[in-house]
Structure formats: structure tokens, C-alpha cells
Amino acid sequence: MAKQENMTADESAMDETSRREAMAVLARATQAELEAAWKEWRDKPEVEPVRGPETGLVMLRGRIGGGGSPFNFGEATVTRATVRLSTGQVGHAYALGTAKGKVRYAAIFDALWQDEQTREDVEDTVLEPVRRRVQARTESRAAEAAATKVDFFTMVRGED
Amino acid sequence: MYVAVKGGEKAINNAHRLLADRRRGDRSVPAVSLEQIVEQLALGVDRIMSEASLYDRELAALAMKQSRGDMIEAIFLLRAYRTTLPRFGYSEPIDTAEMRIERRISATYKDLPGGQLLGPTFDYTHRLLDPALMADGEVEPGMAAEAETGRTPRVSEILAHEGLIESDGDLPDDHRTGDLTREPMEFPMERDIRLQALARGDEGFLLALGYSTQRGYARTHPFTGEIRIGEVEVLLEVPELGFAVSLGEIQVTECQMVTQFKGSAKSPPQFTRGYGLVFGQSERKAMAMSLVDRALRAEELGEDIVAPAQDEEFVISHSDNVQATGFVEHLKLPHYVDFQAELDLVRRMRAEYEANQKKQEGNGGDTLEAAE
């Protein structure tokens, strides 16, 4: 019995980690990507807005010296939305910027991701293409920066 | 006597219409788009975000377009916009060691782990105008090379184990992080609020103060320990979810200035540090911020306060260019009644002065006669 409870706790922790990752991908998607994915989605449930989409501010924090005590160093615009699907799931989304349409779609896909029936579809048709695009950009940026790495060499002094 | 009047409504409306016309300029020239501003005037956009203290590239580009490129006006517009929005919360502190680095240099260590990446820099250019940019020619993409992945430790972490450099700034455990957008400023202030003020401070003002410390006004012997530019993830703890949600990435510039310190009654000889953290790619501002942060730690480190850059109240009270421009520019608004009152006063003082003058001339004449 105790063992079974542990497993459930582990599973829910794993679920939370996967959902955080899914939400992170949705936050990095473009409005066009999510809009196209929603358009293609078969068996669309009814979507009821619970909150938003609404734009507000998040105060960003840094740390003194990079790793010391926190300090507030400026705000960023953030848009959030919460929706409820006719299937019962409630989806949340938060993303930097003011794109209300995008964040509403992100909340819908967060709700669909939570439904065991549709999670795989969300992973394959929505998240995977965004992950690939973001990964490709990250890699090409890193490669471009790496090409500007300084190779120091010692001058030949010609003493003899 | 001046009687209060109203008016100017038509003049104001027509002036604003004229402003819109001049903003657009010659109609045969295509209008600039926000995407063009974000992509091609990126460092100007970054400056607006940094000094408006609001990270949003699209809105900063809109502000730049609306202000005809007047940076302080654009900063003012964006700062005003932020007051219309609700606050959702405070992010988790960003971790610059996890930055996706685009540029990273150190003037103190040649061979630091992760290496020196010059990135897209103006350094080592010859500062010659490039006539090729007058046309819209092809531009080659950046070269690519194999990149190292993973965490890049800050140079301060590398130096720390010798004990010759002070650690990152730690405030007392019970300290609540201050927020100058929520609480009125009080002097003296803690370093966290000071850094918040400096992060939104005017680049020109901080540059001049940083420069003054190099020229001997509160000399601090600085070295650029490290500058890094790149993207960091922003996380927000969301109560309804019970975990921190990733909101996306922002680009920041971080500067670790390292300064020689001969020791004082309060601290042993060591390298002390100044810190700069700024939105976008804003290296000059981050460097100036770290110089001024260090200078303002004079009291904490037991140094004599002898120069403007060490005077916390002077520096922080005058670093915000929205406040500064508001007070300076208000002088051009009608002061007819104030001026009328002062004019009366000066007239009276002048009349008294001339009467005294006359009286003294009368007395002076008598003395002269007596002397003769």
C-alpha cells in the first residue's frame, strides 16, 4: 500500500516535470505555429475562457554579483490565459510578450496535453516542431558565437 | 497684474498634427516598420528597454518610432505604458551561469574555461564609415564552429577559491528585496535597491560618473573581470500551478568589474567587485553601472567619500532620465504668474537699490568736497 502511494507520488512528480517542459515549449512557440496547429486539430472541444488572455508585468530578478542576494532589475511584459475545455481539463499559459492570441492557444494545448487521450497528439503535432525549431536556432547561435572564439598563440621570440 | 487665461487648444491640436506629419516625413520614402527597428536598430531598442525598465522589444520599437528616434522621449513613453499594466509577480532570480552565451570576454584571464568569445562586437573595427551600407547589399551570415555546451561559470567563481576576491554580494538573511517601483526611496539605501536604480539609470550619466572614477575622482583601479551577453531563461512561480513556469528567454548583458582594494579598518586587502546587469546588448551601460556600483560601496568598505560618484544620494537621485527630463523640461511650460510675481519683486528691489545708490552718491559728493 505504502509502495503504491510512493509510485503515485513519483508519477505525479514526473508528470509535473513533463508538463513544465510542455508549457516551456508552448511559451516559446509563435502565434502562427499554434494557430496552424489548432486549425488542423480534429475533434476540437468547446473552449471556455476562465481568465484572460491578459497582459501584465513580471518584475525580473537578478542576483548581486551573479550569485548573491536577489535584486529587482526591471520588468517584462507577460501575457497569461486560463481556459476550460468541454472535456473538463483546465489549461494555463504564461509567456513573455503581449501576444494574447498565442497565449490563448497555448492554454488550450496545455489543457489538451493534460488529457491522456490527446497528450500524444499535442506532443507530436504541436510541441515537437516547436522544439525542433527552437533547438536549431539555439545550436546555430551557439555555433556562430563559437566561431568568434579567440585562439591565443605565443609569438616566436627569435632569441637564437 | 496678470489675469489667468485659458487657450491654445487649436494651436495644440495643430501642433500634434504637424508632429505626426514630420514624424512620417517625406511620403515618397517608405515608412519604417517595427520589425525593421527591432532587427536593424536593435541596440537602440535595447537602450529604451533598459532605461524604461521594461523588457518588450516590440513596444520599445513602437516607442522609438513614435518619438522620432528621441531616446529619452521613447523611454518616457514606455515607462508611462508600464503604469497601465497589473503586476503578476516577481520572477525567480535569473541564473547568468546558465546563459546561452553570444559574447563573453575577460580582461583579467586569458585562458578562462569556456574561452573568450568576441560575438557581434564593435571592438577592433576601424570606426570608418562603410559606404557599402548606403546600398542594400547582400550580407554574409556568421561563420559556424563547434560549440561547447553546458554551464559557463562566471569568472568570479573561478577567482573565489583563492580568497583574494570578495564573494557575491550577500545581504542579511532577513532582508526583504526592495523594489523602488513600490516603495519611496530612502537614503542610505541597500545595495539591491541601488542596483535596481542603476539598472534603469541613464547611460550617459552613468558613463560620465564611471569615467570620473577612472580619472581619479574616487579611484578604484578597475579591471573588467568579465562581460557576458546572451539569453537567460525567466521562471515565474505560479500559485495556481504550484511550480515555476518558464516564460521564455530574455537577452541580458552582465559585467563583473574587479577592483584592487588596499584594505581598510573594515576589510582586508583583496579584490572587490562592482556589478552591472542590463537588458539586451548594452555593454557600455553594464560597464558604467558596475563602476558606479563599486564607487557607491565606499561607506560599506570604509573608504573616504570624496567624489561625486561615491555620493549615493546625489547619484541615485539624478540617474533616472525620465525624472530628470520631466523636471528640466517643465521649465518651458507657462510660468506666467510665477514670473509676474518675480518681476514685481525685482522691480521693487531695483527701485530700492537705485534709491540707495542715489543717496550714497549724495553722501559721496559731500565727502569729496570736504576732502578738497
Side-chain angles (χ1 to χ4, degrees), chain A residues 53-100:
Chain A
E54 58 183 352
T55 298
L57 300 169
V58 167
M59 177 58 89
L60 305 175
R61 286 189 161 161
R63 289 187 180 280
I64 300 173
S69 294
F71 71 98
N72 296 311
F73 82 107
E75 289 163 309
T77 52
V78 172
T79 301
R80 68 181 176 193
T82 304
V83 298
R84 184 181 290 111
L85 305 185
S86 47
T87 51
Q89 271 78 20
V90 174
H92 297 284
Y94 279 78
L96 288 172
T98 56
K100 289 188 174 144

mmCIF file of all heavy atoms in Angstrom, chain A residues 53-100:
data_model
loop_
_atom_site.group_PDB
_atom_site.id
_atom_site.type_symbol
_atom_site.label_atom_id
_atom_site.label_comp_id
_atom_site.label_asym_id
_atom_site.label_seq_id
_atom_site.Cartn_x
_atom_site.Cartn_y
_atom_site.Cartn_z
ATOM 1 N N PRO A 53 -7.335 36.028 -22.192
ATOM 2 C CA PRO A 53 -5.918 36.404 -22.063
ATOM 3 C C PRO A 53 -5.736 37.856 -21.614
ATOM 4 O O PRO A 53 -6.460 38.732 -22.078
ATOM 5 C CB PRO A 53 -5.351 36.193 -23.472
ATOM 6 C CG PRO A 53 -6.509 36.024 -24.379
ATOM 7 C CD PRO A 53 -7.708 35.731 -23.573
ATOM 8 N N GLU A 54 -4.762 38.055 -20.754
ATOM 9 C CA GLU A 54 -4.488 39.391 -20.223
ATOM 10 C C GLU A 54 -2.993 39.610 -20.120
ATOM 11 O O GLU A 54 -2.238 38.673 -19.872
ATOM 12 C CB GLU A 54 -5.151 39.577 -18.857
ATOM 13 C CG GLU A 54 -4.693 38.550 -17.834
ATOM 14 C CD GLU A 54 -5.398 38.689 -16.484
ATOM 15 O OE1 GLU A 54 -6.118 39.657 -16.281
ATOM 16 O OE2 GLU A 54 -5.182 37.800 -15.632
ATOM 17 N N THR A 55 -2.604 40.878 -20.344
ATOM 18 C CA THR A 55 -1.180 41.230 -20.294
ATOM 19 C C THR A 55 -0.881 41.988 -19.018
ATOM 20 O O THR A 55 -1.669 42.840 -18.613
ATOM 21 C CB THR A 55 -0.797 42.079 -21.518
ATOM 22 O OG1 THR A 55 -1.016 41.293 -22.691
ATOM 23 C CG2 THR A 55 0.666 42.502 -21.477
ATOM 24 N N GLY A 56 0.211 41.657 -18.389
ATOM 25 C CA GLY A 56 0.650 42.358 -17.182
ATOM 26 C C GLY A 56 2.160 42.364 -17.117
ATOM 27 O O GLY A 56 2.833 42.158 -18.134
ATOM 28 N N LEU A 57 2.670 42.634 -15.930
ATOM 29 C CA LEU A 57 4.122 42.766 -15.757
ATOM 30 C C LEU A 57 4.649 41.739 -14.775
ATOM 31 O O LEU A 57 3.971 41.394 -13.806
ATOM 32 C CB LEU A 57 4.447 44.153 -15.188
ATOM 33 C CG LEU A 57 4.017 45.350 -16.013
ATOM 34 C CD1 LEU A 57 4.171 46.618 -15.195
ATOM 35 C CD2 LEU A 57 4.835 45.426 -17.285
ATOM 36 N N VAL A 58 5.837 41.264 -15.041
ATOM 37 C CA VAL A 58 6.560 40.480 -14.038
ATOM 38 C C VAL A 58 7.852 41.233 -13.758
ATOM 39 O O VAL A 58 8.555 41.652 -14.683
ATOM 40 C CB VAL A 58 6.840 39.059 -14.545
ATOM 41 C CG1 VAL A 58 7.859 38.355 -13.653
ATOM 42 C CG2 VAL A 58 5.551 38.261 -14.587
ATOM 43 N N MET A 59 8.126 41.449 -12.471
ATOM 44 C CA MET A 59 9.394 42.074 -12.101
ATOM 45 C C MET A 59 10.474 41.001 -12.142
ATOM 46 O O MET A 59 10.351 39.966 -11.491
ATOM 47 C CB MET A 59 9.286 42.693 -10.705
ATOM 48 C CG MET A 59 10.584 43.299 -10.195
ATOM 49 S SD MET A 59 11.293 44.590 -11.246
ATOM 50 C CE MET A 59 10.474 46.054 -10.591
ATOM 51 N N LEU A 60 11.495 41.254 -12.969
ATOM 52 C CA LEU A 60 12.567 40.273 -13.142
ATOM 53 C C LEU A 60 13.629 40.477 -12.068
ATOM 54 O O LEU A 60 13.943 41.613 -11.715
ATOM 55 C CB LEU A 60 13.197 40.436 -14.527
ATOM 56 C CG LEU A 60 12.218 40.365 -15.696
ATOM 57 C CD1 LEU A 60 12.948 40.670 -16.993
ATOM 58 C CD2 LEU A 60 11.563 38.994 -15.764
ATOM 59 N N ARG A 61 14.157 39.375 -11.599
ATOM 60 C CA ARG A 61 15.187 39.453 -10.569
ATOM 61 C C ARG A 61 16.515 38.920 -11.066
ATOM 62 O O ARG A 61 16.561 37.947 -11.817
ATOM 63 C CB ARG A 61 14.759 38.666 -9.333
ATOM 64 C CG ARG A 61 13.681 39.405 -8.584
ATOM 65 C CD ARG A 61 13.374 38.809 -7.254
ATOM 66 N NE ARG A 61 12.697 39.814 -6.461
ATOM 67 C CZ ARG A 61 11.960 39.558 -5.395
ATOM 68 N NH1 ARG A 61 11.833 38.319 -4.970
ATOM 69 N NH2 ARG A 61 11.384 40.545 -4.743
ATOM 70 N N GLY A 62 17.567 39.585 -10.612
ATOM 71 C CA GLY A 62 18.910 39.079 -10.818
ATOM 72 C C GLY A 62 19.502 38.808 -9.449
ATOM 73 O O GLY A 62 18.792 38.855 -8.441
ATOM 74 N N ARG A 63 20.806 38.508 -9.404
ATOM 75 C CA ARG A 63 21.483 38.337 -8.125
ATOM 76 C C ARG A 63 22.711 39.223 -8.087
ATOM 77 O O ARG A 63 23.439 39.309 -9.087
ATOM 78 C CB ARG A 63 21.908 36.880 -7.930
ATOM 79 C CG ARG A 63 20.752 35.932 -7.681
ATOM 80 C CD ARG A 63 21.288 34.553 -7.323
ATOM 81 N NE ARG A 63 20.206 33.609 -7.076
ATOM 82 C CZ ARG A 63 19.517 33.533 -5.925
ATOM 83 N NH1 ARG A 63 19.815 34.356 -4.935
ATOM 84 N NH2 ARG A 63 18.555 32.651 -5.784
ATOM 85 N N ILE A 64 22.947 39.872 -6.958
ATOM 86 C CA ILE A 64 24.105 40.744 -6.801
ATOM 87 C C ILE A 64 25.367 39.932 -7.083
ATOM 88 O O ILE A 64 25.546 38.845 -6.510
ATOM 89 C CB ILE A 64 24.162 41.352 -5.381
ATOM 90 C CG1 ILE A 64 22.895 42.187 -5.095
ATOM 91 C CG2 ILE A 64 25.422 42.203 -5.210
ATOM 92 C CD1 ILE A 64 22.779 42.682 -3.667
ATOM 93 N N GLY A 65 26.205 40.422 -7.971
ATOM 94 C CA GLY A 65 27.440 39.719 -8.304
ATOM 95 C C GLY A 65 27.210 38.459 -9.126
ATOM 96 O O GLY A 65 28.148 37.717 -9.385
ATOM 97 N N GLY A 66 25.964 38.189 -9.496
ATOM 98 C CA GLY A 66 25.653 37.000 -10.286
ATOM 99 C C GLY A 66 25.099 35.863 -9.443
ATOM 100 O O GLY A 66 24.258 35.103 -9.908
ATOM 101 N N GLY A 67 25.569 35.742 -8.185
ATOM 102 C CA GLY A 67 25.122 34.612 -7.364
ATOM 103 C C GLY A 67 24.758 35.009 -5.937
ATOM 104 O O GLY A 67 24.534 34.144 -5.095
ATOM 105 N N GLY A 68 24.692 36.305 -5.657
ATOM 106 C CA GLY A 68 24.409 36.768 -4.292
ATOM 107 C C GLY A 68 22.923 36.963 -4.039
ATOM 108 O O GLY A 68 22.087 36.257 -4.599
ATOM 109 N N SER A 69 22.605 37.938 -3.191
ATOM 110 C CA SER A 69 21.200 38.199 -2.854
ATOM 111 C C SER A 69 20.448 38.715 -4.075
ATOM 112 O O SER A 69 21.020 39.374 -4.936
ATOM 113 C CB SER A 69 21.114 39.246 -1.753
ATOM 114 O OG SER A 69 21.663 38.738 -0.577
ATOM 115 N N PRO A 70 19.142 38.417 -4.135
ATOM 116 C CA PRO A 70 18.372 38.893 -5.289
ATOM 117 C C PRO A 70 18.182 40.403 -5.286
ATOM 118 O O PRO A 70 18.181 41.029 -4.230
ATOM 119 C CB PRO A 70 17.007 38.212 -5.120
ATOM 120 C CG PRO A 70 17.088 37.335 -3.938
ATOM 121 C CD PRO A 70 18.335 37.645 -3.202
ATOM 122 N N PHE A 71 18.057 40.971 -6.485
ATOM 123 C CA PHE A 71 17.599 42.357 -6.616
ATOM 124 C C PHE A 71 16.697 42.445 -7.838
ATOM 125 O O PHE A 71 16.755 41.591 -8.730
ATOM 126 C CB PHE A 71 18.784 43.336 -6.712
ATOM 127 C CG PHE A 71 19.568 43.279 -8.002
ATOM 128 C CD1 PHE A 71 19.320 44.196 -9.022
ATOM 129 C CD2 PHE A 71 20.547 42.319 -8.199
ATOM 130 C CE1 PHE A 71 20.044 44.153 -10.211
ATOM 131 C CE2 PHE A 71 21.270 42.260 -9.387
ATOM 132 C CZ PHE A 71 21.019 43.183 -10.399
ATOM 133 N N ASN A 72 15.828 43.429 -7.843
ATOM 134 C CA ASN A 72 14.898 43.632 -8.954
ATOM 135 C C ASN A 72 15.603 44.448 -10.008
ATOM 136 O O ASN A 72 16.129 45.508 -9.703
ATOM 137 C CB ASN A 72 13.668 44.389 -8.465
ATOM 138 C CG ASN A 72 12.906 43.582 -7.439
ATOM 139 O OD1 ASN A 72 12.611 42.412 -7.648
ATOM 140 N ND2 ASN A 72 12.621 44.194 -6.300
ATOM 141 N N PHE A 73 15.642 43.964 -11.242
ATOM 142 C CA PHE A 73 16.396 44.773 -12.208
ATOM 143 C C PHE A 73 15.574 45.289 -13.375
ATOM 144 O O PHE A 73 16.118 45.958 -14.249
ATOM 145 C CB PHE A 73 17.685 44.085 -12.633
ATOM 146 C CG PHE A 73 17.586 43.057 -13.702
ATOM 147 C CD1 PHE A 73 18.038 43.317 -14.977
ATOM 148 C CD2 PHE A 73 17.053 41.828 -13.421
ATOM 149 C CE1 PHE A 73 17.962 42.362 -15.962
ATOM 150 C CE2 PHE A 73 16.974 40.860 -14.406
ATOM 151 C CZ PHE A 73 17.430 41.128 -15.678
ATOM 152 N N GLY A 74 14.269 45.071 -13.353
ATOM 153 C CA GLY A 74 13.423 45.642 -14.398
ATOM 154 C C GLY A 74 12.279 44.690 -14.689
ATOM 155 O O GLY A 74 12.354 43.511 -14.351
ATOM 156 N N GLU A 75 11.234 45.226 -15.311
ATOM 157 C CA GLU A 75 10.055 44.402 -15.564
ATOM 158 C C GLU A 75 10.025 43.889 -16.999
ATOM 159 O O GLU A 75 10.755 44.366 -17.856
ATOM 160 C CB GLU A 75 8.793 45.218 -15.286
ATOM 161 C CG GLU A 75 8.600 45.484 -13.809
ATOM 162 C CD GLU A 75 7.616 46.607 -13.529
ATOM 163 O OE1 GLU A 75 7.760 47.696 -14.105
ATOM 164 O OE2 GLU A 75 6.716 46.391 -12.717
ATOM 165 N N ALA A 76 9.149 42.920 -17.234
ATOM 166 C CA ALA A 76 8.905 42.441 -18.600
ATOM 167 C C ALA A 76 7.405 42.291 -18.777
ATOM 168 O O ALA A 76 6.685 42.009 -17.805
ATOM 169 C CB ALA A 76 9.594 41.104 -18.832
ATOM 170 N N THR A 77 6.938 42.486 -20.011
ATOM 171 C CA THR A 77 5.528 42.217 -20.276
ATOM 172 C C THR A 77 5.334 40.699 -20.324
ATOM 173 O O THR A 77 6.173 39.977 -20.854
ATOM 174 C CB THR A 77 5.079 42.806 -21.625
ATOM 175 O OG1 THR A 77 5.987 42.364 -22.631
ATOM 176 C CG2 THR A 77 5.035 44.308 -21.599
ATOM 177 N N VAL A 78 4.243 40.255 -19.728
ATOM 178 C CA VAL A 78 3.902 38.836 -19.708
ATOM 179 C C VAL A 78 2.409 38.722 -19.982
ATOM 180 O O VAL A 78 1.620 39.540 -19.484
ATOM 181 C CB VAL A 78 4.244 38.188 -18.346
ATOM 182 C CG1 VAL A 78 3.705 36.770 -18.255
ATOM 183 C CG2 VAL A 78 5.749 38.188 -18.118
ATOM 184 N N THR A 79 2.024 37.748 -20.803
ATOM 185 C CA THR A 79 0.603 37.536 -21.077
ATOM 186 C C THR A 79 0.223 36.149 -20.573
ATOM 187 O O THR A 79 1.010 35.206 -20.695
ATOM 188 C CB THR A 79 0.335 37.699 -22.582
ATOM 189 O OG1 THR A 79 0.737 39.016 -22.950
ATOM 190 C CG2 THR A 79 -1.145 37.539 -22.896
ATOM 191 N N ARG A 80 -0.952 36.062 -19.968
ATOM 192 C CA ARG A 80 -1.390 34.777 -19.420
ATOM 193 C C ARG A 80 -2.835 34.511 -19.798
ATOM 194 O O ARG A 80 -3.601 35.437 -20.101
ATOM 195 C CB ARG A 80 -1.239 34.749 -17.901
ATOM 196 C CG ARG A 80 -2.184 35.692 -17.176
ATOM 197 C CD ARG A 80 -1.968 35.627 -15.686
ATOM 198 N NE ARG A 80 -2.804 36.601 -14.988
ATOM 199 C CZ ARG A 80 -2.643 36.926 -13.716
ATOM 200 N NH1 ARG A 80 -1.690 36.379 -13.003
ATOM 201 N NH2 ARG A 80 -3.448 37.812 -13.150
ATOM 202 N N ALA A 81 -3.212 33.248 -19.779
ATOM 203 C CA ALA A 81 -4.594 32.872 -20.059
ATOM 204 C C ALA A 81 -4.906 31.564 -19.360
ATOM 205 O O ALA A 81 -4.020 30.735 -19.144
ATOM 206 C CB ALA A 81 -4.812 32.713 -21.566
ATOM 207 N N THR A 82 -6.166 31.402 -18.989
ATOM 208 C CA THR A 82 -6.659 30.137 -18.439
ATOM 209 C C THR A 82 -7.942 29.792 -19.180
ATOM 210 O O THR A 82 -8.807 30.658 -19.347
ATOM 211 C CB THR A 82 -6.941 30.258 -16.928
ATOM 212 O OG1 THR A 82 -5.753 30.698 -16.280
ATOM 213 C CG2 THR A 82 -7.389 28.936 -16.334
ATOM 214 N N VAL A 83 -8.035 28.541 -19.635
ATOM 215 C CA VAL A 83 -9.251 28.115 -20.349
ATOM 216 C C VAL A 83 -9.744 26.790 -19.757
ATOM 217 O O VAL A 83 -8.967 26.032 -19.163
ATOM 218 C CB VAL A 83 -8.996 27.916 -21.867
ATOM 219 C CG1 VAL A 83 -8.578 29.209 -22.532
ATOM 220 C CG2 VAL A 83 -7.968 26.827 -22.114
ATOM 221 N N ARG A 84 -11.046 26.527 -19.932
ATOM 222 C CA ARG A 84 -11.597 25.231 -19.553
ATOM 223 C C ARG A 84 -12.193 24.599 -20.803
ATOM 224 O O ARG A 84 -12.920 25.248 -21.561
ATOM 225 C CB ARG A 84 -12.677 25.387 -18.480
ATOM 226 C CG ARG A 84 -13.216 24.033 -17.991
ATOM 227 C CD ARG A 84 -14.317 24.150 -16.948
ATOM 228 N NE ARG A 84 -13.808 24.642 -15.658
ATOM 229 C CZ ARG A 84 -14.098 25.840 -15.154
ATOM 230 N NH1 ARG A 84 -14.888 26.673 -15.818
ATOM 231 N NH2 ARG A 84 -13.619 26.198 -13.992
ATOM 232 N N LEU A 85 -11.844 23.325 -21.030
ATOM 233 C CA LEU A 85 -12.375 22.622 -22.203
ATOM 234 C C LEU A 85 -13.670 21.897 -21.832
ATOM 235 O O LEU A 85 -13.896 21.560 -20.665
ATOM 236 C CB LEU A 85 -11.353 21.601 -22.714
ATOM 237 C CG LEU A 85 -9.959 22.125 -23.042
ATOM 238 C CD1 LEU A 85 -9.119 21.007 -23.652
ATOM 239 C CD2 LEU A 85 -10.022 23.317 -23.979
ATOM 240 N N SER A 86 -14.488 21.611 -22.832
ATOM 241 C CA SER A 86 -15.723 20.862 -22.588
ATOM 242 C C SER A 86 -15.438 19.446 -22.084
ATOM 243 O O SER A 86 -16.290 18.796 -21.499
ATOM 244 C CB SER A 86 -16.573 20.826 -23.856
ATOM 245 O OG SER A 86 -15.781 20.489 -24.965
ATOM 246 N N THR A 87 -14.175 18.989 -22.274
ATOM 247 C CA THR A 87 -13.778 17.682 -21.746
ATOM 248 C C THR A 87 -13.414 17.756 -20.263
ATOM 249 O O THR A 87 -13.121 16.744 -19.643
ATOM 250 C CB THR A 87 -12.554 17.145 -22.518
ATOM 251 O OG1 THR A 87 -11.563 18.177 -22.538
ATOM 252 C CG2 THR A 87 -12.908 16.770 -23.935
ATOM 253 N N GLY A 88 -13.400 18.952 -19.704
ATOM 254 C CA GLY A 88 -13.183 19.106 -18.267
ATOM 255 C C GLY A 88 -11.823 19.664 -17.886
ATOM 256 O O GLY A 88 -11.652 20.214 -16.805
ATOM 257 N N GLN A 89 -10.811 19.519 -18.776
ATOM 258 C CA GLN A 89 -9.458 19.978 -18.412
ATOM 259 C C GLN A 89 -9.381 21.508 -18.366
ATOM 260 O O GLN A 89 -10.012 22.185 -19.180
ATOM 261 C CB GLN A 89 -8.420 19.473 -19.409
ATOM 262 C CG GLN A 89 -7.837 18.126 -19.082
ATOM 263 C CD GLN A 89 -8.770 17.001 -19.439
ATOM 264 O OE1 GLN A 89 -9.674 17.196 -20.255
ATOM 265 N NE2 GLN A 89 -8.579 15.850 -18.827
ATOM 266 N N VAL A 90 -8.574 21.978 -17.405
ATOM 267 C CA VAL A 90 -8.292 23.412 -17.312
ATOM 268 C C VAL A 90 -6.844 23.627 -17.736
ATOM 269 O O VAL A 90 -5.944 22.961 -17.226
ATOM 270 C CB VAL A 90 -8.515 23.922 -15.873
ATOM 271 C CG1 VAL A 90 -8.078 25.377 -15.739
ATOM 272 C CG2 VAL A 90 -9.982 23.767 -15.488
ATOM 273 N N GLY A 91 -6.629 24.531 -18.678
ATOM 274 C CA GLY A 91 -5.268 24.789 -19.163
ATOM 275 C C GLY A 91 -4.814 26.197 -18.792
ATOM 276 O O GLY A 91 -5.603 27.132 -18.804
ATOM 277 N N HIS A 92 -3.524 26.300 -18.460
ATOM 278 C CA HIS A 92 -2.921 27.604 -18.138
ATOM 279 C C HIS A 92 -1.794 27.890 -19.113
ATOM 280 O O HIS A 92 -1.127 26.962 -19.573
ATOM 281 C CB HIS A 92 -2.315 27.589 -16.742
ATOM 282 C CG HIS A 92 -3.300 27.378 -15.640
ATOM 283 N ND1 HIS A 92 -4.146 28.364 -15.203
ATOM 284 C CD2 HIS A 92 -3.577 26.282 -14.889
ATOM 285 C CE1 HIS A 92 -4.895 27.899 -14.211
ATOM 286 N NE2 HIS A 92 -4.577 26.633 -14.006
ATOM 287 N N ALA A 93 -1.566 29.144 -19.371
ATOM 288 C CA ALA A 93 -0.387 29.508 -20.163
ATOM 289 C C ALA A 93 0.123 30.872 -19.725
ATOM 290 O O ALA A 93 -0.654 31.766 -19.394
ATOM 291 C CB ALA A 93 -0.726 29.535 -21.649
ATOM 292 N N TYR A 94 1.450 30.988 -19.710
ATOM 293 C CA TYR A 94 2.151 32.243 -19.419
ATOM 294 C C TYR A 94 3.266 32.370 -20.450
ATOM 295 O O TYR A 94 3.971 31.391 -20.712
ATOM 296 C CB TYR A 94 2.819 32.198 -18.035
ATOM 297 C CG TYR A 94 1.915 32.483 -16.864
ATOM 298 C CD1 TYR A 94 1.055 31.507 -16.380
ATOM 299 C CD2 TYR A 94 1.948 33.721 -16.225
ATOM 300 C CE1 TYR A 94 0.240 31.759 -15.281
ATOM 301 C CE2 TYR A 94 1.135 33.984 -15.123
ATOM 302 C CZ TYR A 94 0.292 32.993 -14.651
ATOM 303 O OH TYR A 94 -0.499 33.252 -13.575
ATOM 304 N N ALA A 95 3.454 33.566 -20.995
ATOM 305 C CA ALA A 95 4.593 33.772 -21.896
ATOM 306 C C ALA A 95 5.013 35.232 -21.888
ATOM 307 O O ALA A 95 4.182 36.132 -21.705
ATOM 308 C CB ALA A 95 4.237 33.356 -23.320
ATOM 309 N N LEU A 96 6.302 35.461 -22.097
ATOM 310 C CA LEU A 96 6.806 36.827 -22.256
ATOM 311 C C LEU A 96 6.129 37.466 -23.464
ATOM 312 O O LEU A 96 5.814 36.780 -24.440
ATOM 313 C CB LEU A 96 8.319 36.805 -22.501
ATOM 314 C CG LEU A 96 9.211 36.445 -21.308
ATOM 315 C CD1 LEU A 96 10.651 36.270 -21.778
ATOM 316 C CD2 LEU A 96 9.143 37.513 -20.225
ATOM 317 N N GLY A 97 5.913 38.771 -23.387
ATOM 318 C CA GLY A 97 5.356 39.492 -24.526
ATOM 319 C C GLY A 97 3.875 39.771 -24.357
ATOM 320 O O GLY A 97 3.289 39.537 -23.300
ATOM 321 N N THR A 98 3.278 40.277 -25.432
ATOM 322 C CA THR A 98 1.893 40.749 -25.358
ATOM 323 C C THR A 98 0.976 39.987 -26.309
ATOM 324 O O THR A 98 -0.134 40.436 -26.580
ATOM 325 C CB THR A 98 1.832 42.256 -25.715
ATOM 326 O OG1 THR A 98 2.416 42.422 -27.006
ATOM 327 C CG2 THR A 98 2.572 43.114 -24.717
ATOM 328 N N ALA A 99 1.428 38.827 -26.801
ATOM 329 C CA ALA A 99 0.651 38.103 -27.817
ATOM 330 C C ALA A 99 -0.496 37.325 -27.168
ATOM 331 O O ALA A 99 -0.325 36.193 -26.714
ATOM 332 C CB ALA A 99 1.564 37.169 -28.606
ATOM 333 N N LYS A 100 -1.669 37.963 -27.131
ATOM 334 C CA LYS A 100 -2.812 37.353 -26.437
ATOM 335 C C LYS A 100 -3.328 36.117 -27.172
ATOM 336 O O LYS A 100 -3.694 35.124 -26.542
ATOM 337 C CB LYS A 100 -3.932 38.378 -26.291
ATOM 338 C CG LYS A 100 -3.585 39.457 -25.278
ATOM 339 C CD LYS A 100 -4.770 40.346 -24.988
ATOM 340 C CE LYS A 100 -4.430 41.308 -23.873
ATOM 341 N NZ LYS A 100 -5.028 42.627 -24.039
#
